[in-house]
Amino acid sequence: MNTVRALQSTDHKRIYEEYAARITRYFRYRIRNSWDVEDLTTTVFIKVYAKLDQYDGRHPFGAWIFRIAHNTLIDYLRKKREYPAEQEMFASLVASEKLPEERVLKQESDEDLWRNVKTLTVDQRNVISLRYLADLRMNEIAEILGKSEASVKILHFRGIKKLQKMMVPQG
């Protein structure tokens, strides 16, 4: 109960500052419309603040927030019937100070990678996006997806192996 009480008194601004960028990045990967990404991010924090007293402390706080984000995304996709974003969205995810030639090569490589991610199963895509775009640990991903940590690790391993095979240069 002390954790709940401590979280209730936590500054909303601090929670937002810690998680907003990761949640936005997670949505940006999955949704084409940047306005909707901003709206969904805002919706997540409205839900988090409204349900803060329901957080029981048994699971990591970040996993709890991303569970809300993931469920918000699922609701949105069902409603909009939208598919994951096109590759141009990924170019904006990473700021770069590289030379133009290096940026083009990196962009082409990123486009290939995310085009290949689309070929993975839905569960593998979810694990990969939560791991690398939201920067979550396996136990947090398991909590968000409602799966065991072992099954998440297997999904991750198989997804990465499949991506590695697809990304091998053909010569």
Side-chain angles (χ1 to χ4, degrees):
M1 277 303 191
N2 291 339
T3 305
V4 173
R5 208 170 285 123
L7 285 174
Q8 287 173 340
S9 65
T10 300
D11 181 33
H12 289 190
K13 181 180 176 186
R14 204 169 83 223
I15 293 171
Y16 181 84
E17 288 172 352
E18 185 170 344
Y19 294 99
R22 290 170 40 196
I23 289 172
T24 299
R25 188 172 55 227
Y26 173 65
F27 287 146
R28 193 177 297 146
Y29 160 68
R30 306 298 298 267
I31 298 177
R32 289 184 179 106
N33 185 323
S34 62
W35 297 97
D36 288 348
V37 169
E38 291 176 18
D39 289 346
L40 286 172
T41 301
T42 301
T43 300
V44 166
F45 283 98
I46 290 170
K47 289 178 180 180
V48 166
Y49 299 150
K51 297 178 179 187
L52 202 52
D53 62 332
Q54 295 175 18
Y55 174 69
D56 64 10
R58 287 184 295 164
H59 304 288
F61 189 71
W64 181 75
I65 287 178
F66 270 93
R67 179 70 177 196
I68 292 170
H70 183 72
N71 289 340
T72 302
L73 174 66
I74 289 171
D75 292 344
Y76 170 85
L77 292 175
R78 284 182 187 147
K79 192 178 194 182
K80 291 281 192 174
R81 298 192 195 286
E82 184 163 327
Y83 298 97
E86 292 302 318
Q87 304 313 314
E88 295 82 35
M89 296 300 292
F90 293 111
S92 65
L93 292 179
V94 179
S96 175
E97 296 180 13
K98 296 179 180 179
L99 296 172
E101 298 84 8
E102 292 173 320
R103 282 194 300 242
V104 169
L105 289 173
K106 172 125 175 65
Q107 182 177 350
E108 287 175 358
S109 176
D110 288 349
E111 287 173 0
D112 288 344
L113 172 64
W114 292 109
R115 189 174 16 261
N116 290 333
V117 168
K118 284 184 175 182
T119 68
L120 300 175
T121 67
V122 172
D123 285 339
Q124 288 171 337
R125 279 194 311 263
N126 285 335
V127 169
I128 298 292
S129 64
L130 287 167
R131 177 71 185 106
Y132 297 104
L133 296 174
D135 197 31
L136 296 175
R137 294 185 308 267
M138 293 299 177
N139 63 330
E140 294 171 318
I141 295 168
E143 176 66 25
I144 291 164
L145 298 178
K147 298 184 179 297
S148 71
E149 188 172 345
S151 71
V152 167
K153 287 179 179 180
I154 290 169
L155 287 166
H156 180 262
F157 176 80
R158 289 179 180 164
I160 294 297
K161 282 294 182 195
K162 186 174 180 184
L163 289 171
Q164 286 173 339
K165 286 179 184 174
M166 289 187 277
M167 297 298 289
V168 171
Q170 298 171 356

